[in-house]
Amino acid sequence: MGTSAIAALREIILEVIRYTAQGQWKVLVLDEASKRLVDSVVKQDDILQEKVTNIEQIEHKRALNQDLDAIYFLTPEPHIVECLIIDFERRRYHRSYLVWTSFLPPELRQRIDQASAAKEQIAQARILNISFFPHESHLITFRDPSSFPMLFHPACNQLVPKHMYDLAQRIVSVCVSLEEYPTIRYYRPHNPLHEAGVLCYHLARFVQEGLDQHAKHHEDFPPPSPRPRGVLIITDRTMDLFAPLVHEFTYQAMVHDLLPLKEGDKSYYKTILNEGTPREEVKEMELGEKDKIWVENRHLHMKDLLQKLVADFNKFRADNPQFAENPGGSTSINTIKDMIAGLPQFQEGKELYSLHLNMSQELMNIFQKCRLTDVALVEQSMAVGLDEDYKRPKNLTDQIVRLLDDDEVNFPDRLRLIIEYVLYRDGIFRSDMEKLLAHARLPAQDGEILQNLEMLGARVFRPLKDIKPTLQPLFPQNPPAAQAIDDLSLSRFEPAIKGLLEEQLRGTLDQNLFPYTKPFLDANEGLMNRVNVSQASLRSAKPTWARTRPSALEPRQRVIIFMAGGATYSESRVCYEVSGSSAKDIYLTSSHMLHPGLFLRQLGELSVDRRRLDLPADRPKPKPPACLYERETGTSNGLPQPLALMTGPPKTRSATNTNTSTGTLEPSQKPHPLPSPPFVVATPTGKLSKGPKEKKRGFFKF
């Protein structure tokens, strides 16, 4: 399915290491943040094969190694620059090649230029645009859950300018790494009620300026390609508040919603292997791209998953004669688990099947125990606006009250039902809210969660005399074929992002709702999409057997979606599905991934004191560790090699080089991936000038 973001980032990193100090042995020096980035896509063995003797971390105490050159692969942060200067003063390595993961701010560049030892030791410097983490092949995150409160918490308004600048830099990094200079569209809600209603407009403007500046200072961007120009669509969480709440019954979404995962840079599930045997053990197993069973099945509906796991297991058994035949002919989940536990061979496959069979069985147990069938039927009616017969729902309030009174429905699901009811009704009377909370027996703080919906653009309370017209969905769903209604009764809802993508690909996406950042492109872009639609309609006359997928060599247009405030796994699934059916490469990008529990927690935190949020911006600024200032008895323990200066820049398109004689950035190559809003703005002539001082509060009110 097109270019994998994981493979693209991996190749960029390895290519820089390969062509820096080419042919010479060297040391790779990372910091804590850049190490997380590198480790997310590259194995250490792959790095060591590129003539790297060892990998070190700049915040750690290290021995002098003055016989070897060093590649510093660093994050442009003040304390990291100070650590770097300490290394220069100690002359820790022979010569230094600097690689920054994103734009180096002018004040940090100046700090390096002022260090006399730096000029003598810097052989070359470059700036890469890789400040993002590929979560999956077409799912990219910034691993920044704090983005949600910084965008929507009322006490964080003064943090918004810097945070939006950082977000824009990262979005530019994604586009540059994918070699895309896309047209940009952004979500503009009709009559927004919340202060952040113009969030997407300002973010899209910053990204457009960043891409323009990058193209201005890099003549080879974008590189020539027969692929149609890509599209970047910037939206935010307020566009679809149902998606992070509705129960989704596809495998990946259910796992993150219902199971106790250990979440971090990676996701782990604790399971029992070889249960009931002397080799029984409890093991944390990773759910990621290395797990082929996970990758193949994560978007399947649970009813299809169970059948496929059994079929795949039977095939696995047939392919390996070590498995004993089941005399009964039928295979249940428990039978499969017992058979797997008895096999000493094929350890990896055995553990993976055990993991997924255990998880699927646990999901079905929770599904039945928590009455999710009844909960989901009501949820689907509210999210879609139609019941299972695709008619206007009746007696919804009575159904919700019965579920709220049911002891088998857990408290988080009761809260989700009330929130969904508020969204469905576009606000309810205050007295009705009190009655629903009384039935649900929820703690008092959950009432604050409901009121915080207003910060995301939802109306919570409606007046007695309401003259506001009925709220219409952005992308109404069409009823499916009659024979499919029964199968879809618990999965009728589709995230709004699906309708967005389908209309974008048809060329019918409303330009008032999703305008372009550059209006003069509107007509041409719309014409191009309509031509594609016309060509598709002419081909539709072919018989079904003649419709084949495009050749792997045929260039596929790329569509990048950025969801500010967090994206859901149901939205990720939709992007993969639309990509597969449309012959487009669709990448979903967000600050972080949301599951219902995290969304409810972050929604509740919008009303707590900012000091309790532990935001990175409010933490003490990190400083170089004291061990770096300790006196050293320096030794040289590297492999002596003659110094060889780089003969040319690496083949990465996004590199910015320095003058090797001075170690400073050449004027013609100084990178400006972004202006520095709101402190510096672009004039009509393209020159940067000082902008007006922003108020600390009300950043979105321009």
Side-chain angles (χ1 to χ4, degrees), residues 168-213:
Q169 267 198 321
R170 290 172 178 264
I171 297 170
V172 169
S173 292
V174 172
C175 296
V176 171
S177 297
L178 292 176
E179 301 183 345
E180 288 291 342
Y181 190 3
T183 57
I184 301 177
R185 305 184 74 167
Y186 61 92
Y187 175 50
R188 182 171 64 186
H190 298 305
N191 304 317
L193 302 176
H194 57 303
E195 186 177 356
V198 293
L199 184 159
C200 294
Y201 162 71
H202 292 294
L203 185 55
R205 178 168 60 90
F206 294 166
V207 174
Q208 184 70 70
E209 292 172 352
L211 285 169
D212 291 346
Q213 290 287 349

Short mmCIF file of all heavy atoms in Angstrom, two decimals, residues 168-213:
data_model
loop_
_atom_site.label_atom_id
_atom_site.label_comp_id
_atom_site.label_asym_id
_atom_site.label_seq_id
_atom_site.Cartn_x
_atom_site.Cartn_y
_atom_site.Cartn_z
N ALA A 168 3.18 22.93 13.54
CA ALA A 168 3.39 23.23 12.12
C ALA A 168 4.74 22.70 11.65
O ALA A 168 4.85 22.16 10.54
CB ALA A 168 3.29 24.74 11.89
N GLN A 169 5.76 22.86 12.48
CA GLN A 169 7.08 22.32 12.13
C GLN A 169 7.02 20.82 11.88
O GLN A 169 7.60 20.29 10.93
CB GLN A 169 8.08 22.59 13.25
CG GLN A 169 8.87 23.87 13.10
CD GLN A 169 10.11 23.85 13.98
OE1 GLN A 169 10.07 23.36 15.11
NE2 GLN A 169 11.19 24.37 13.47
N ARG A 170 6.30 20.13 12.75
CA ARG A 170 6.22 18.67 12.64
C ARG A 170 5.43 18.25 11.41
O ARG A 170 5.76 17.26 10.74
CB ARG A 170 5.60 18.09 13.92
CG ARG A 170 6.51 18.21 15.14
CD ARG A 170 5.79 17.81 16.41
NE ARG A 170 6.66 17.89 17.56
CZ ARG A 170 7.33 16.85 18.08
NH1 ARG A 170 7.23 15.67 17.50
NH2 ARG A 170 8.10 17.00 19.13
N ILE A 171 4.36 18.99 11.11
CA ILE A 171 3.59 18.67 9.90
C ILE A 171 4.43 18.91 8.66
O ILE A 171 4.40 18.12 7.70
CB ILE A 171 2.30 19.51 9.86
CG1 ILE A 171 1.40 19.16 11.05
CG2 ILE A 171 1.53 19.27 8.57
CD1 ILE A 171 0.22 20.09 11.24
N VAL A 172 5.21 19.99 8.66
CA VAL A 172 6.13 20.24 7.55
C VAL A 172 7.13 19.09 7.43
O VAL A 172 7.46 18.63 6.33
CB VAL A 172 6.86 21.58 7.74
CG1 VAL A 172 8.01 21.72 6.76
CG2 VAL A 172 5.89 22.74 7.58
N SER A 173 7.60 18.59 8.58
CA SER A 173 8.53 17.46 8.57
C SER A 173 7.94 16.24 7.88
O SER A 173 8.61 15.56 7.10
CB SER A 173 8.93 17.08 10.01
OG SER A 173 9.70 18.09 10.62
N VAL A 174 6.66 15.96 8.17
CA VAL A 174 5.99 14.82 7.54
C VAL A 174 5.95 15.01 6.02
O VAL A 174 6.28 14.10 5.25
CB VAL A 174 4.58 14.64 8.12
CG1 VAL A 174 3.81 13.58 7.33
CG2 VAL A 174 4.64 14.26 9.60
N CYS A 175 5.53 16.20 5.60
CA CYS A 175 5.42 16.46 4.15
C CYS A 175 6.78 16.38 3.46
O CYS A 175 6.90 15.77 2.38
CB CYS A 175 4.79 17.83 3.92
SG CYS A 175 3.08 17.98 4.49
N VAL A 176 7.80 16.96 4.06
CA VAL A 176 9.13 16.97 3.45
C VAL A 176 9.69 15.55 3.38
O VAL A 176 10.28 15.15 2.37
CB VAL A 176 10.07 17.90 4.23
CG1 VAL A 176 11.51 17.74 3.76
CG2 VAL A 176 9.62 19.35 4.07
N SER A 177 9.50 14.77 4.44
CA SER A 177 10.01 13.41 4.45
C SER A 177 9.31 12.54 3.42
O SER A 177 9.92 11.62 2.86
CB SER A 177 9.85 12.79 5.85
OG SER A 177 10.62 13.49 6.80
N LEU A 178 8.05 12.84 3.14
CA LEU A 178 7.32 12.10 2.11
C LEU A 178 7.49 12.72 0.73
O LEU A 178 6.85 12.29 -0.24
CB LEU A 178 5.82 12.05 2.46
CG LEU A 178 5.45 11.22 3.69
CD1 LEU A 178 3.97 11.34 3.98
CD2 LEU A 178 5.84 9.76 3.49
N GLU A 179 8.32 13.77 0.64
CA GLU A 179 8.62 14.47 -0.61
C GLU A 179 7.35 15.04 -1.24
O GLU A 179 7.15 14.97 -2.45
CB GLU A 179 9.33 13.52 -1.59
CG GLU A 179 10.64 12.97 -1.05
CD GLU A 179 11.37 12.08 -2.05
OE1 GLU A 179 10.72 11.66 -3.04
OE2 GLU A 179 12.56 11.81 -1.85
N GLU A 180 6.53 15.64 -0.40
CA GLU A 180 5.28 16.23 -0.86
C GLU A 180 5.25 17.73 -0.57
O GLU A 180 5.61 18.17 0.52
CB GLU A 180 4.09 15.57 -0.17
CG GLU A 180 3.80 14.15 -0.64
CD GLU A 180 3.28 14.10 -2.06
OE1 GLU A 180 2.83 15.13 -2.58
OE2 GLU A 180 3.32 13.00 -2.66
N TYR A 181 4.81 18.49 -1.58
CA TYR A 181 4.54 19.92 -1.43
C TYR A 181 3.05 20.08 -1.73
O TYR A 181 2.66 20.51 -2.81
CB TYR A 181 5.40 20.71 -2.41
CG TYR A 181 5.41 22.21 -2.21
CD1 TYR A 181 4.74 22.83 -1.15
CD2 TYR A 181 6.11 23.02 -3.10
CE1 TYR A 181 4.77 24.19 -0.97
CE2 TYR A 181 6.16 24.39 -2.94
CZ TYR A 181 5.48 24.97 -1.87
OH TYR A 181 5.52 26.34 -1.71
N PRO A 182 2.19 19.72 -0.77
CA PRO A 182 0.77 19.53 -1.09
C PRO A 182 -0.01 20.84 -1.11
O PRO A 182 0.41 21.86 -0.56
CB PRO A 182 0.30 18.65 0.07
CG PRO A 182 1.15 19.10 1.22
CD PRO A 182 2.50 19.42 0.62
N THR A 183 -1.15 20.79 -1.77
CA THR A 183 -2.14 21.83 -1.55
C THR A 183 -2.74 21.60 -0.17
O THR A 183 -2.82 20.47 0.31
CB THR A 183 -3.26 21.77 -2.60
OG1 THR A 183 -3.86 20.47 -2.57
CG2 THR A 183 -2.71 22.03 -3.99
N ILE A 184 -3.15 22.68 0.49
CA ILE A 184 -3.59 22.58 1.88
C ILE A 184 -5.03 23.05 2.00
O ILE A 184 -5.40 24.13 1.52
CB ILE A 184 -2.68 23.41 2.81
CG1 ILE A 184 -1.23 22.93 2.71
CG2 ILE A 184 -3.16 23.32 4.26
CD1 ILE A 184 -0.25 23.74 3.53
N ARG A 185 -5.83 22.24 2.66
CA ARG A 185 -7.20 22.61 3.01
C ARG A 185 -7.36 22.47 4.52
O ARG A 185 -6.64 21.70 5.16
CB ARG A 185 -8.21 21.71 2.27
CG ARG A 185 -8.03 21.70 0.77
CD ARG A 185 -9.09 20.89 0.06
NE ARG A 185 -10.37 21.58 0.03
CZ ARG A 185 -11.40 21.23 -0.73
NH1 ARG A 185 -11.30 20.16 -1.52
NH2 ARG A 185 -12.52 21.90 -0.72
N TYR A 186 -8.30 23.21 5.08
CA TYR A 186 -8.46 23.18 6.53
C TYR A 186 -9.94 23.27 6.90
O TYR A 186 -10.77 23.78 6.13
CB TYR A 186 -7.69 24.33 7.19
CG TYR A 186 -8.13 25.72 6.77
CD1 TYR A 186 -9.11 26.42 7.48
CD2 TYR A 186 -7.57 26.33 5.65
CE1 TYR A 186 -9.51 27.68 7.09
CE2 TYR A 186 -7.97 27.59 5.24
CZ TYR A 186 -8.95 28.26 5.97
OH TYR A 186 -9.37 29.51 5.57
N TYR A 187 -10.25 22.74 8.06
CA TYR A 187 -11.62 22.69 8.56
C TYR A 187 -12.02 24.06 9.10
O TYR A 187 -11.35 24.63 9.96
CB TYR A 187 -11.73 21.64 9.65
CG TYR A 187 -13.05 21.57 10.35
CD1 TYR A 187 -14.25 21.51 9.64
CD2 TYR A 187 -13.12 21.52 11.74
CE1 TYR A 187 -15.47 21.43 10.30
CE2 TYR A 187 -14.33 21.44 12.41
CZ TYR A 187 -15.50 21.40 11.68
OH TYR A 187 -16.71 21.32 12.33
N ARG A 188 -13.13 24.61 8.57
CA ARG A 188 -13.66 25.89 9.05
C ARG A 188 -15.12 25.66 9.47
O ARG A 188 -16.02 25.68 8.63
CB ARG A 188 -13.56 26.96 7.97
CG ARG A 188 -14.06 28.33 8.44
CD ARG A 188 -13.73 29.41 7.41
NE ARG A 188 -14.43 29.18 6.15
CZ ARG A 188 -14.23 29.90 5.05
NH1 ARG A 188 -13.30 30.87 5.07
NH2 ARG A 188 -14.89 29.66 3.94
N PRO A 189 -15.37 25.41 10.75
CA PRO A 189 -16.74 25.09 11.19
C PRO A 189 -17.68 26.26 10.99
O PRO A 189 -17.27 27.44 11.06
CB PRO A 189 -16.55 24.75 12.67
CG PRO A 189 -15.28 25.44 13.07
CD PRO A 189 -14.41 25.45 11.86
N HIS A 190 -18.95 25.95 10.75
CA HIS A 190 -19.97 26.97 10.62
C HIS A 190 -20.35 27.51 12.00
O HIS A 190 -20.69 26.73 12.89
CB HIS A 190 -21.22 26.41 9.94
CG HIS A 190 -20.98 25.92 8.54
ND1 HIS A 190 -20.42 26.70 7.56
CD2 HIS A 190 -21.21 24.70 7.97
CE1 HIS A 190 -20.33 26.00 6.43
NE2 HIS A 190 -20.81 24.78 6.66
N ASN A 191 -20.27 28.81 12.19
CA ASN A 191 -20.70 29.45 13.43
C ASN A 191 -20.15 28.75 14.67
O ASN A 191 -20.92 28.26 15.51
CB ASN A 191 -22.24 29.49 13.50
CG ASN A 191 -22.85 30.18 12.30
OD1 ASN A 191 -22.36 31.23 11.85
ND2 ASN A 191 -23.92 29.60 11.76
N PRO A 192 -18.83 28.67 14.82
CA PRO A 192 -18.27 27.97 15.98
C PRO A 192 -18.62 28.69 17.28
O PRO A 192 -18.64 29.91 17.35
CB PRO A 192 -16.76 28.01 15.72
CG PRO A 192 -16.55 29.19 14.83
CD PRO A 192 -17.78 29.26 13.96
N LEU A 193 -18.89 27.88 18.32
CA LEU A 193 -19.24 28.43 19.63
C LEU A 193 -18.04 28.48 20.56
O LEU A 193 -18.13 29.06 21.65
CB LEU A 193 -20.34 27.57 20.27
CG LEU A 193 -21.65 27.43 19.47
CD1 LEU A 193 -22.59 26.46 20.19
CD2 LEU A 193 -22.31 28.78 19.28
N HIS A 194 -16.94 27.88 20.18
CA HIS A 194 -15.79 27.78 21.07
C HIS A 194 -14.65 28.66 20.55
O HIS A 194 -14.55 28.95 19.37
CB HIS A 194 -15.32 26.33 21.21
CG HIS A 194 -14.98 25.68 19.90
ND1 HIS A 194 -15.88 25.59 18.87
CD2 HIS A 194 -13.84 25.08 19.46
CE1 HIS A 194 -15.32 24.97 17.85
NE2 HIS A 194 -14.08 24.66 18.19
N GLU A 195 -13.77 29.03 21.47
CA GLU A 195 -12.69 29.95 21.12
C GLU A 195 -11.72 29.34 20.13
O GLU A 195 -11.13 30.04 19.30
CB GLU A 195 -11.93 30.34 22.40
CG GLU A 195 -10.87 31.41 22.19
CD GLU A 195 -10.20 31.84 23.47
OE1 GLU A 195 -10.61 31.36 24.54
OE2 GLU A 195 -9.27 32.66 23.39
N ALA A 196 -11.55 28.01 20.18
CA ALA A 196 -10.60 27.35 19.28
C ALA A 196 -11.20 27.07 17.92
O ALA A 196 -10.66 26.27 17.16
CB ALA A 196 -10.11 26.04 19.92
N GLY A 197 -12.30 27.71 17.56
CA GLY A 197 -12.94 27.46 16.28
C GLY A 197 -12.10 27.86 15.09
O GLY A 197 -12.37 27.41 13.97
N VAL A 198 -11.09 28.71 15.31
CA VAL A 198 -10.22 29.12 14.20
C VAL A 198 -8.86 28.43 14.27
O VAL A 198 -7.92 28.83 13.60
CB VAL A 198 -10.03 30.66 14.20
CG1 VAL A 198 -11.33 31.36 13.86
CG2 VAL A 198 -9.48 31.14 15.54
N LEU A 199 -8.78 27.39 15.08
CA LEU A 199 -7.52 26.67 15.26
C LEU A 199 -6.96 26.19 13.93
O LEU A 199 -5.79 26.42 13.61
CB LEU A 199 -7.76 25.50 16.21
CG LEU A 199 -6.60 24.60 16.65
CD1 LEU A 199 -6.99 23.88 17.94
CD2 LEU A 199 -6.22 23.57 15.61
N CYS A 200 -7.78 25.54 13.14
CA CYS A 200 -7.30 24.94 11.89
C CYS A 200 -6.84 26.00 10.89
O CYS A 200 -5.89 25.77 10.12
CB CYS A 200 -8.38 24.06 11.27
SG CYS A 200 -8.80 22.61 12.26
N TYR A 201 -7.51 27.15 10.89
CA TYR A 201 -7.12 28.22 9.98
C TYR A 201 -5.68 28.67 10.27
O TYR A 201 -4.85 28.77 9.35
CB TYR A 201 -8.08 29.40 10.10
CG TYR A 201 -7.51 30.69 9.55
CD1 TYR A 201 -7.36 30.87 8.18
CD2 TYR A 201 -7.10 31.72 10.40
CE1 TYR A 201 -6.82 32.04 7.66
CE2 TYR A 201 -6.58 32.89 9.90
CZ TYR A 201 -6.43 33.05 8.52
OH TYR A 201 -5.89 34.20 8.02
N HIS A 202 -5.39 28.96 11.53
CA HIS A 202 -4.05 29.45 11.87
C HIS A 202 -3.00 28.37 11.67
O HIS A 202 -1.90 28.64 11.18
CB HIS A 202 -4.03 29.97 13.30
CG HIS A 202 -4.83 31.21 13.50
ND1 HIS A 202 -4.49 32.42 12.91
CD2 HIS A 202 -5.96 31.45 14.19
CE1 HIS A 202 -5.39 33.34 13.24
NE2 HIS A 202 -6.30 32.77 14.01
N LEU A 203 -3.33 27.13 12.04
CA LEU A 203 -2.36 26.05 11.86
C LEU A 203 -2.07 25.82 10.39
O LEU A 203 -0.91 25.64 9.98
CB LEU A 203 -2.89 24.77 12.51
CG LEU A 203 -1.95 23.57 12.53
CD1 LEU A 203 -0.63 23.93 13.19
CD2 LEU A 203 -2.61 22.39 13.25
N ALA A 204 -3.10 25.85 9.55
CA ALA A 204 -2.90 25.68 8.11
C ALA A 204 -2.05 26.81 7.54
O ALA A 204 -1.20 26.59 6.66
CB ALA A 204 -4.25 25.61 7.40
N ARG A 205 -2.27 28.02 8.03
CA ARG A 205 -1.48 29.17 7.55
C ARG A 205 0.00 28.99 7.91
O ARG A 205 0.89 29.24 7.09
CB ARG A 205 -2.03 30.46 8.15
CG ARG A 205 -1.27 31.71 7.76
CD ARG A 205 -2.05 32.96 8.15
NE ARG A 205 -2.30 33.02 9.58
CZ ARG A 205 -1.47 33.60 10.45
NH1 ARG A 205 -0.34 34.14 10.02
NH2 ARG A 205 -1.77 33.64 11.73
N PHE A 206 0.27 28.55 9.14
CA PHE A 206 1.66 28.34 9.55
C PHE A 206 2.32 27.24 8.72
O PHE A 206 3.48 27.36 8.33
CB PHE A 206 1.72 27.96 11.03
CG PHE A 206 1.29 29.06 11.97
CD1 PHE A 206 1.01 28.77 13.30
CD2 PHE A 206 1.15 30.36 11.54
CE1 PHE A 206 0.61 29.76 14.17
CE2 PHE A 206 0.74 31.36 12.40
CZ PHE A 206 0.47 31.07 13.73
N VAL A 207 1.58 26.17 8.45
CA VAL A 207 2.14 25.07 7.66
C VAL A 207 2.41 25.53 6.23
O VAL A 207 3.46 25.21 5.65
CB VAL A 207 1.20 23.85 7.67
CG1 VAL A 207 1.71 22.77 6.73
CG2 VAL A 207 1.05 23.30 9.08
N GLN A 208 1.49 26.30 5.65
CA GLN A 208 1.70 26.79 4.29
C GLN A 208 2.94 27.67 4.22
O GLN A 208 3.76 27.53 3.30
CB GLN A 208 0.48 27.59 3.85
CG GLN A 208 0.55 28.09 2.41
CD GLN A 208 0.44 26.95 1.41
OE1 GLN A 208 -0.62 26.35 1.26
NE2 GLN A 208 1.54 26.64 0.71
N GLU A 209 3.11 28.55 5.20
CA GLU A 209 4.30 29.40 5.22
C GLU A 209 5.57 28.56 5.39
O GLU A 209 6.60 28.84 4.76
CB GLU A 209 4.19 30.43 6.34
CG GLU A 209 3.09 31.47 6.10
CD GLU A 209 2.86 32.36 7.31
OE1 GLU A 209 3.44 32.07 8.39
OE2 GLU A 209 2.10 33.33 7.20
N GLY A 210 5.48 27.53 6.23
CA GLY A 210 6.64 26.67 6.44
C GLY A 210 7.05 25.92 5.18
O GLY A 210 8.24 25.84 4.85
N LEU A 211 6.08 25.37 4.49
CA LEU A 211 6.39 24.65 3.25
C LEU A 211 6.92 25.61 2.18
O LEU A 211 7.85 25.27 1.43
CB LEU A 211 5.14 23.93 2.74
CG LEU A 211 4.74 22.67 3.51
CD1 LEU A 211 3.36 22.20 3.08
CD2 LEU A 211 5.77 21.55 3.28
N ASP A 212 6.34 26.79 2.10
CA ASP A 212 6.81 27.77 1.11
C ASP A 212 8.25 28.16 1.39
O ASP A 212 9.07 28.29 0.47
CB ASP A 212 5.91 29.01 1.13
CG ASP A 212 4.52 28.72 0.58
OD1 ASP A 212 4.33 27.66 -0.05
OD2 ASP A 212 3.61 29.56 0.80
N GLN A 213 8.57 28.37 2.67
CA GLN A 213 9.94 28.74 3.02
C GLN A 213 10.91 27.60 2.73
O GLN A 213 12.02 27.82 2.26
CB GLN A 213 10.01 29.13 4.50
CG GLN A 213 9.31 30.43 4.85
CD GLN A 213 10.10 31.64 4.35
OE1 GLN A 213 11.25 31.51 3.93
NE2 GLN A 213 9.47 32.81 4.38
#
